[in-house]
Amino acid sequence: MQSLLVPVLILLAVVACVLLVSRMLSRRANERRDNAASARTPVDPVELAREAAAKLSEDQHRQLYSLIAQGQAMAAIKLYLGATGEGLRASRDAVGALAAHPQPFRRPEPAPQDLVPDDDEPEHFSYRYRAIASKGDVTREVSSNMLNDEIYGRIRTLAKSGDIEGAALALTKHSDISMKQAREFLELLDD
């Protein structure tokens, strides 16, 4: 039995050394990861506050600012954490940014219900679209804020497939030109 005691003690010492070394290495790895995370480019606190406020409902927004005004930072962080499901550190940073840079509540932009414009009323865009067609010395231009690349592409496809009347009708619907002008424009398109 004494002959087994020495090898067992050596084995226990080796296991203890391995555990200590692995624990030390994992601590170093965690420190490096934490240092790398803190060394990342800092997020603009105003932008962080805007993004954080956008994640809250009107009631959550009001409650959060009420807690901030009362000096209950931990309760505000818990509220934000529960409302968004983000991590503790991200919630702390978001609440800090919201406290430093107060944001008004903004209703979220309604999602577009229908990406295709309604057939009755063409969509108006914030820019003016110009379509130019020419053949020889003749050049025609259609300029409208009801046209974009997608709509103009559909009009060109209709014209190239031989449906000049349909293309002309669509062009008049999305611009302020007459049917005659639309036909003249479509005749100039490259085949």
Side-chain angles (χ1 to χ4, degrees), residues 161-173:
S161 68
D163 187 6
I164 299 294
E165 287 302 309
L169 184 63
L171 189 57
T172 58
K173 183 177 179 183

Side-chain angles (χ1 to χ4, degrees), residues 118-122 146 168-177:
D118 189 15
D119 288 337
D120 295 338
E121 185 66 34
M146 295 179 280
L169 184 63
L171 189 57
T172 58
K173 183 177 179 183
H174 290 91
S175 63
D176 297 325
I177 62 173

Side-chain angles (χ1 to χ4, degrees), residues 18-31:
V18 167
L19 288 174
L20 286 173
V21 168
S22 68
R23 179 180 252 175
M24 216 168 53
L25 291 175
S26 71
R27 280 186 185 169
R28 284 185 185 169
N30 288 340
E31 287 174 2

Side-chain angles (χ1 to χ4, degrees), residues 6-40:
V6 172
V8 169
L9 288 175
I10 292 173
L11 180 64
L12 287 175
V14 168
V15 168
C17 286
V18 167
L19 288 174
L20 286 173
V21 168
S22 68
R23 179 180 252 175
M24 216 168 53
L25 291 175
S26 71
R27 280 186 185 169
R28 284 185 185 169
N30 288 340
E31 287 174 2
R32 283 187 200 132
R33 188 182 67 232
D34 290 344
N35 288 340
S38 65
R40 288 184 197 138

Side-chain angles (χ1 to χ4, degrees), residues 10-184:
I10 292 173
L11 180 64
L12 287 175
V14 168
V15 168
C17 286
V18 167
L19 288 174
L20 286 173
V21 168
S22 68
R23 179 180 252 175
M24 216 168 53
L25 291 175
S26 71
R27 280 186 185 169
R28 284 185 185 169
N30 288 340
E31 287 174 2
R32 283 187 200 132
R33 188 182 67 232
D34 290 344
N35 288 340
S38 65
R40 288 184 197 138
T41 55
V43 177
D44 178 30
V46 175
E47 185 60 32
L48 178 62
R50 274 190 211 116
E51 291 173 4
K55 295 176 183 176
L56 299 172
S57 70
E58 186 173 7
D59 188 47
Q60 292 165 339
H61 187 270
R62 187 177 34 75
Q63 288 175 352
L64 183 99
Y65 273 108
S66 173
L67 291 171
I68 290 172
Q70 295 170 16
Q72 297 179 9
M74 289 305 296
I77 292 169
K78 284 182 183 178
L79 175 78
Y80 187 84
L81 182 102
T84 64
E86 291 188 9
L88 184 59
R89 181 176 289 169
S91 296
R92 180 200 67 199
D93 293 344
V95 169
L98 286 167
H101 306 282
Q103 299 294 311
F105 177 75
R106 290 189 179 101
R107 298 206 183 280
E109 297 282 328
Q113 298 297 326
D114 191 8
L115 295 177
V116 178
D118 189 15
D119 288 337
D120 295 338
E121 185 66 34
E123 184 177 356
H124 290 266
F125 302 102
S126 60
Y127 54 87
R128 199 131 180 98
Y129 186 88
R130 290 178 54 197
I132 300 171
S134 64
K135 221 181 239 183
D137 292 338
V138 180
T139 301
R140 297 280 187 262
E141 177 183 328
V142 175
S143 179
S144 173
N145 65 344
M146 295 179 280
L147 277 174
N148 63 15
D149 284 331
E150 182 183 345
I151 295 168
Y152 183 61
R154 282 191 243 148
I155 292 169
R156 284 181 60 103
T157 303
L158 280 173
K160 287 184 178 186
S161 68
D163 187 6
I164 299 294
E165 287 302 309
L169 184 63
L171 189 57
T172 58
K173 183 177 179 183
H174 290 91
S175 63
D176 297 325
I177 62 173
S178 67
M179 278 296 278
K180 179 183 176 198
Q181 292 169 327
R183 284 189 201 102
E184 289 173 359

